[in-house]
């Protein structure tokens, strides 16, 4: 919080999250296998599937800056085939106008997921990005509770580089993670790019097949050429094309700077209640929050003060929650939040938040 303007410096508030992405979860080449089925049940063609995944480690800040791509793949070594021309776009620069960094990193692990080692590699690159972008330290990084955050090397690095990691308990932080508000857009962009690539490759394979067939026919005796030309030409469909890790690197490199905009990224922080004016919990979509069981103790989310214990039952509704006080009075409560130190829901938003038309004072927000 800036002591002069009383506003949050959104360039210093970050969110980190990983996104697992199937490289090509689709049918492979068609086979001629016979498939058995029960009576009155249509048979389906057997097809192979590629369920290999890669991980995109993402970092963005509240000012809309998307930091460099970190792709984690399940490999022990990188071969020359991964040196695709699309990687030339990652030339270690900061584009403040569009809100993205052109730094980039590819890490190798056994299963293609984040580890303490790969996260440490990313933090070393992240330090360079912060310096290049002129972002002041310390910074706050909101993240989930993945085990990679707690390696000794990572913790020591964060302390040395003035990076404050704030992690949420497992399975309770989706609505507080800015990147989670827009992750679907990244999946959709990848899948759309994958479909387009498969179409392009299918056309290329079809043309190659036609050319090879023409060459084969031309080499036949003239008496056999007429019959050979009448044979149907083989057309390769997109569903017959299987993509590998090289194509995954190409797709990620092409889409990285376009899957979300600077305004999109700023909006995701507002959706989790973080704005430059202060914390705004009333901006969090609480439509699907559920109160689980009776609550023995509640907390005011804005003031943080503990409320008196109340006996009775909890009635769950779509948008509001009613709790019976000791005197029998029905009090309308807002949907539940989670206490980071507990596995049970026990933090409730103040009753007045849903009724607010304007935010409370800046003093309350601080």
């Amino acid at each position: 919080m800036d002591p002069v303007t009383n506003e949050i410096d959104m360039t210093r508030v970050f969110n980190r999250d990983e996104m697992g992405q199937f490289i090509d979860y689709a049918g492979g080449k068609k086979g001629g296998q016979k498939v058995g089925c029960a009576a009155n049940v249509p048979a389906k063609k057997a097809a192979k599937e590629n369920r290999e995944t890669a991980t995109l480690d993402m970092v963005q800040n509240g000012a809309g800056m998307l930091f460099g791509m970190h792709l984690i793949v399940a490999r022990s070594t990188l071969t020359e085939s991964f040196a695709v021309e699309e990687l030339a776009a990652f030339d270690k620069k900061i584009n403040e106008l569009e809100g993205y960094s052109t730094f980039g990193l590819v890490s190798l692990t056994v299963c293609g997921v984040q580890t303490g080692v790969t996260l440490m590699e990313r933090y070393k690159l992240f330090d360079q990005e912060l310096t290049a972008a002129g972002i002041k330290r310390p910074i706050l990084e909101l993240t989930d509770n993945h085990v990679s955050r707690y390696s000794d090397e990572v913790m020591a690095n964060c302390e040395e580089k003035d990076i404050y990691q704030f992690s949420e308990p497992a399975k309770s932080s989706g609505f507080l993670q800015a990147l989670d508000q827009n992750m679907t857009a990244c999946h959709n962009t990848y899948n759309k790019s994958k479909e387009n690539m498969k179409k392009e490759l299918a056309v290329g394979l079809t043309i190659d097949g036609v050319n090879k067939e023409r060459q084969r026919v031309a080499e036949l005796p003239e008496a056999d050429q007429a019959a050979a030309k009448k044979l149907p030409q083989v057309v390769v469909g997109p569903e017959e094309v299987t993509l590998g890790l090289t194509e995954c690197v190409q797709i990620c490199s092409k889409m990285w700077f376009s899957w979300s905009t600077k305004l999109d990224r700023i909006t995701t922080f507002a959706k989790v209640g973080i704005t430059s004016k202060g914390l705004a919990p009333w901006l969090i979509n609480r439509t699907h929050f559920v109160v689980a069981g009776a609550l023995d103790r509640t907390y005011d989310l804005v003031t943080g003060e503990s409320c008196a214990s109340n006996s009775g039952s909890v009635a769950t509704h779509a948008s509001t929650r009613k709790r019976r006080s000791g005197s029998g009075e029905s009090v309308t409560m807002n949907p539940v939040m989670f206490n980071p130190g507990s596995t049970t829901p026990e933090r409730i938003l103040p009753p007045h938040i849903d009724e607010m038309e304007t935010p409370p004072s800046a003093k309350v927000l601080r």
Side-chain angles (χ1 to χ4, degrees):
M1 178 85 61
D2 189 298
V4 178
T5 63
N6 290 327
E7 293 187 357
I8 295 176
D9 184 354
M10 298 300 285
T11 65
R12 298 163 67 187
V13 180
F14 294 79
N15 181 215
R16 173 187 299 281
D17 201 6
E18 289 85 12
M19 184 194 81
Q21 175 64 55
F22 283 115
I23 292 177
D24 182 24
Y25 182 23
K29 295 183 179 180
K30 293 180 179 179
Q33 301 95 329
K34 294 182 179 179
V35 182
C37 61
N40 301 322
V41 177
K44 295 182 178 179
K45 290 184 178 180
K48 64 181 182 181
E49 293 175 340
N50 180 5
R51 289 175 175 262
E52 184 180 8
T53 62
T55 299
L56 278 170
D57 176 18
M58 303 178 175
V59 182
Q60 66 178 38
N61 69 9
M65 176 70 71
L66 177 65
F67 287 78
M69 181 183 77
H70 181 202
L71 182 64
I72 306 169
V73 298
R75 290 289 187 276
S76 57
T77 58
L78 285 179
T79 61
E80 187 177 351
S81 63
F82 294 113
V84 296
E85 61 181 17
E86 287 82 2
L87 289 175
F90 296 91
D91 54 0
K92 294 188 176 183
K93 295 180 180 178
I94 301 294
N95 188 327
E96 294 186 6
L97 181 62
E98 298 294 332
Y100 61 77
S101 159
T102 62
F103 286 67
L105 175 67
V106 177
S107 294
L108 312 178
T109 64
V110 175
C111 300
V113 298
Q114 186 85 282
T115 66
V117 174
T118 58
L119 182 56
M120 190 61 231
E121 292 174 354
R122 180 65 185 94
Y123 267 128
K124 291 178 180 178
L125 187 68
F126 186 46
D127 181 58
Q128 298 177 33
E129 291 179 282
L130 293 175
T131 301
I135 295 177
K136 297 179 181 179
R137 316 288 181 98
I139 64 168
L140 172 65
E141 184 180 84
L142 307 174
T143 183
D144 57 23
N145 213 28
H146 192 270
V147 66
S148 62
R149 280 53 165 166
Y150 301 106
S151 79
D152 293 340
E153 191 175 7
V154 167
M155 298 291 282
N157 176 78
C158 289
E159 182 177 4
E160 178 185 352
K161 300 298 183 181
D162 278 339
I163 299 174
Y164 293 93
Q165 286 194 83
F166 183 85
S167 63
E168 292 291 328
K171 299 181 181 180
S172 67
S173 59
F175 63 92
L176 295 178
Q177 298 288 333
L179 279 163
D180 282 340
Q181 312 308 308
N182 201 30
M183 201 66 82
T184 302
C186 190
H187 281 299
N188 290 343
T189 304
Y190 181 93
N191 291 333
K192 184 64 176 178
S193 300
K194 180 184 71 175
E195 292 173 5
N196 291 337
M197 176 175 283
K198 295 181 86 165
K199 289 178 181 177
E200 293 174 3
L201 291 174
V203 171
L205 290 172
T206 299
I207 294 174
D208 288 343
V210 170
N211 291 335
K212 288 181 180 178
E213 179 63 15
R214 287 177 178 174
Q215 183 177 357
R216 186 189 71 84
V217 171
E219 295 174 354
L220 293 175
E222 291 187 8
D224 299 329
Q225 288 186 11
K229 289 180 180 178
K230 295 181 180 179
L231 294 175
Q233 293 183 348
V234 177
V235 177
V236 179
E239 69 281 358
E240 300 177 73
V241 178
T242 301
L243 303 184
L245 189 54
T246 299
E247 289 76 23
C248 173
V249 174
Q250 289 178 301
I251 293 173
C252 291
S253 301
K254 286 181 178 179
M255 61 169 258
W256 184 251
F257 306 112
S258 60
W259 71 268
S260 70
T261 66
K262 186 176 183 177
L263 180 59
D264 291 335
R265 296 186 282 272
I266 293 173
T267 303
T268 59
F269 274 86
K271 287 181 178 179
V272 299
I274 304 175
T275 70
S276 61
K277 300 298 182 181
L279 300 182
W282 55 88
L283 296 178
I284 299 174
N285 182 0
R286 302 187 298 278
T287 304
H288 301 294
F289 282 26
V290 176
V291 172
L295 306 178
D296 295 327
R297 179 172 294 275
T298 62
Y299 295 86
D300 187 306
L301 183 65
V302 172
T303 65
E305 297 177 356
S306 174
C307 303
S309 175
N310 291 277
S311 61
S313 60
V314 177
T316 303
H317 301 281
S319 58
T320 61
R321 316 287 183 251
K322 291 183 179 294
R323 177 163 57 84
R324 295 285 178 181
S325 66
S327 62
E329 179 185 2
S330 178
V331 181
T332 300
M333 303 296 290
N334 287 274
V336 72
M337 297 287 283
F338 287 92
N339 179 359
S342 172
T343 57
T344 59
E346 58 179 304
R347 178 177 293 213
I348 293 183
L349 298 179
H352 63 280
I353 284 184
D354 278 340
E355 303 169 2
M356 285 184 179
E357 295 183 358
T358 57
S361 66
K363 181 177 180 180
V364 174
L365 288 176
R366 294 196 297 274

